[in-house]
Amino acid sequence: MAARKPLVIVTRKLPEAVETRMCELFDARLNAEDKPMSRTELGQALATADVLVPTVTDRIDGELIAKAGPNLKLIANFGTGVDNIDVKAATEKGITVTNTPGVLTEDTADMTMALILAVPRRLVEGVKELEADNFKGWAPSWMLGNRLHGKRLGIVGMGRIGQAVAKRARGFGLQIHYHNRKPVAPAIEQELEATYWESLDQMLARMDIVSVNCPHTPATFHLLSARRLKLMKPTAYIVNTARGEVIDENTLARMLEAGQLSGAGLDVFENEPAVNPKLLKAKNVVLLPHMGSATIEGRIDMGEKVIVNIKSFIDGHKPPDRVIPAML
Ligand code: 8YV
């Protein structure tokens, strides 16, 4: 008798090509309506599945993992960030966790660059002015922003995405500075002409634009704390395409309102999908609904990675994108 296909529960709607392939390979339970699962539904999924495929919108904490059924051996996250999953609790229960690194690097870096351009150059404000019929002809002192060329960009987190941002930013004449747990390889530093700052405090105080590109972990929660945000120049801009939790959002909103920072470009928020009302009201911000990696190509590549991780796991191999708690 043919072996039973593994029961793979997918919490959200994925691209058609990905779902079709999943149905060929696995006993896949899909979410055609794309309605986010409630906590109870997630609990049921964990209790019955062999493999769970969650996304950033599913919070798989220690309490849920403790109630996982005996069949659950793999959580194959559709996404790179795994701050939605208690990886340590999963690993201790013998559940492997995988993610989808690499395939959304370029898309996220593009969106970061778009925000780095959009905020100092007042792109969205300009669109709104035109739509409001406020364009009465060119004027020498109207809609003036700030020049990018020659300014200092401070990248917080020089991993794949941070480096991809640096490459783009160099093309726009920005000087690259970065803070990371460790300096990157000298060859990369040379190629990017990047300056390493061991002290995040010192870097923040000297940058014109700060881009957050590190993962959200217990160590990076509110890394840009109220104290650190206050070290930044009032003329500086801040861009975040990583995770809202890395910045003290409340303080950031208050500082933007008070003119203690020049502006912010945010694709992510601390309590998604909620957005701080002060940010929504602020003029000097560009706010996006967590769409940094939202390309058709990227989503298909992410799905492909999830499939490869599941397939290699059930075939008895180490899945390529295992997340090891010690690495977080
Ligand atoms: C993903 C992301 O689309 O992969 C990540 O870490 O932030 C997003 O761009 C999302 O996580 C999907 O689960």
Side-chain angles (χ1 to χ4, degrees):
M1 201 180 80
R4 171 180 85 83
K5 281 185 180 178
L7 173 60
V8 176
I9 300 188
V10 185
T11 66
R12 299 297 301 267
K13 180 153 182 53
L14 303 184
E16 207 182 315
V18 174
E19 292 193 337
T20 304
R21 188 67 186 132
M22 281 185 163
C23 290
E24 286 165 6
L25 292 170
F26 318 123
D27 175 8
R29 302 276 158 87
L30 308 174
N31 183 351
E33 283 176 32
D34 200 29
K35 192 170 153 272
M37 283 188 181
S38 66
R39 194 168 167 81
T40 311
E41 287 167 333
L42 271 179
Q44 282 161 358
L46 282 154
T48 51
D50 296 306
V51 178
L52 183 79
V53 180
T55 74
V56 68
T57 54
D58 306 303
R59 199 176 142 70
I60 319 281
D61 57 20
E63 199 190 317
L64 274 186
I65 285 170
K67 292 187 198 144
N71 292 341
L72 187 78
K73 291 284 174 274
L74 175 66
I75 299 177
N77 196 44
F78 183 87
T80 302
V82 285
D83 53 335
N84 54 317
I85 302 166
D86 188 335
V87 179
K88 193 164 168 275
T91 309
E92 279 167 10
K93 209 171 172 345
I95 301 167
T96 299
V97 177
T98 59
N99 66 344
T100 61
V103 291
L104 31 78
T105 304
E106 305 303 331
D107 297 325
T108 309
D110 284 346
M111 195 59 99
T112 309
M113 201 60 227
L115 288 171
I116 291 173
L117 285 161
V119 183
R121 295 304 307 273
R122 304 173 64 182
L123 211 79
V124 174
E125 264 183 88
V127 171
K128 285 185 185 157
E129 287 293 312
L130 191 118
E131 284 173 354
D133 202 19
N134 290 336
F135 179 41
K136 305 297 175 200
W138 181 87
S141 55
W142 193 54
M143 289 306 300
L144 303 186
N146 282 111
R147 177 184 292 157
L148 281 189
H149 196 275
K151 298 281 165 61
R152 292 172 158 212
L153 170 67
I155 297 175
V156 180
M158 197 62 142
R160 287 189 188 88
I161 297 174
Q163 290 176 33
V165 170
K167 280 190 192 136
R168 285 157 177 73
R170 289 245 307 121
F172 284 87
L174 285 157
Q175 296 174 31
I176 309 303
H177 298 257
Y178 73 100
H179 169 79
N180 204 36
R181 278 189 287 196
K182 284 184 294 183
V184 295
I188 298 173
E189 227 174 54
Q190 242 173 7
E191 186 199 329
L192 299 170
E193 292 184 68
T195 305
Y196 175 64
W197 294 77
E198 196 180 345
S199 160
L200 176 59
D201 288 12
Q202 288 185 19
M203 182 178 89
L204 290 174
R206 289 165 179 81
M207 294 302 119
D208 300 302
I209 303 163
V210 169
S211 175
V212 178
N213 296 107
C214 62
H216 166 219
T217 67
T220 64
F221 175 78
H222 280 197
L223 184 67
L224 270 66
S225 58
R227 180 188 67 78
R228 288 208 170 107
L229 287 170
K230 285 173 188 156
L231 297 173
M232 289 175 65
K233 300 196 284 187
T235 50
Y237 297 95
I238 191 159
V239 165
N240 187 4
T241 54
R243 282 292 182 270
E245 290 91 333
V246 180
I247 305 182
D248 177 342
E249 187 176 280
N250 213 7
T251 302
L252 174 66
R254 271 195 266 117
M255 288 179 68
L256 287 165
E257 194 182 38
Q260 291 162 342
L261 278 173
S262 272
L266 307 173
D267 183 47
V268 287
F269 304 93
E270 210 175 321
N271 300 299
E272 288 181 20
V275 179
N276 189 309
K278 278 202 182 85
L279 287 176
L280 286 170
K281 268 194 245 143
K283 274 213 152 53
N284 45 352
V285 296
V286 175
L287 308 177
L288 297 175
H290 197 147
M291 55 190 272
S293 70
T295 66
I296 294 163
E297 295 87 341
R299 291 287 187 262
I300 291 173
D301 290 349
M302 286 164 77
E304 180 64 19
K305 268 203 165 267
V306 168
I307 291 170
V308 169
N309 280 319
I310 300 175
K311 188 81 179 87
S312 46
F313 183 83
I314 59 179
D315 287 348
H317 305 289
K318 280 185 185 159
D321 306 307
R322 268 180 320 151
V323 181
I324 314 291
M327 280 163 56
L328 293 173

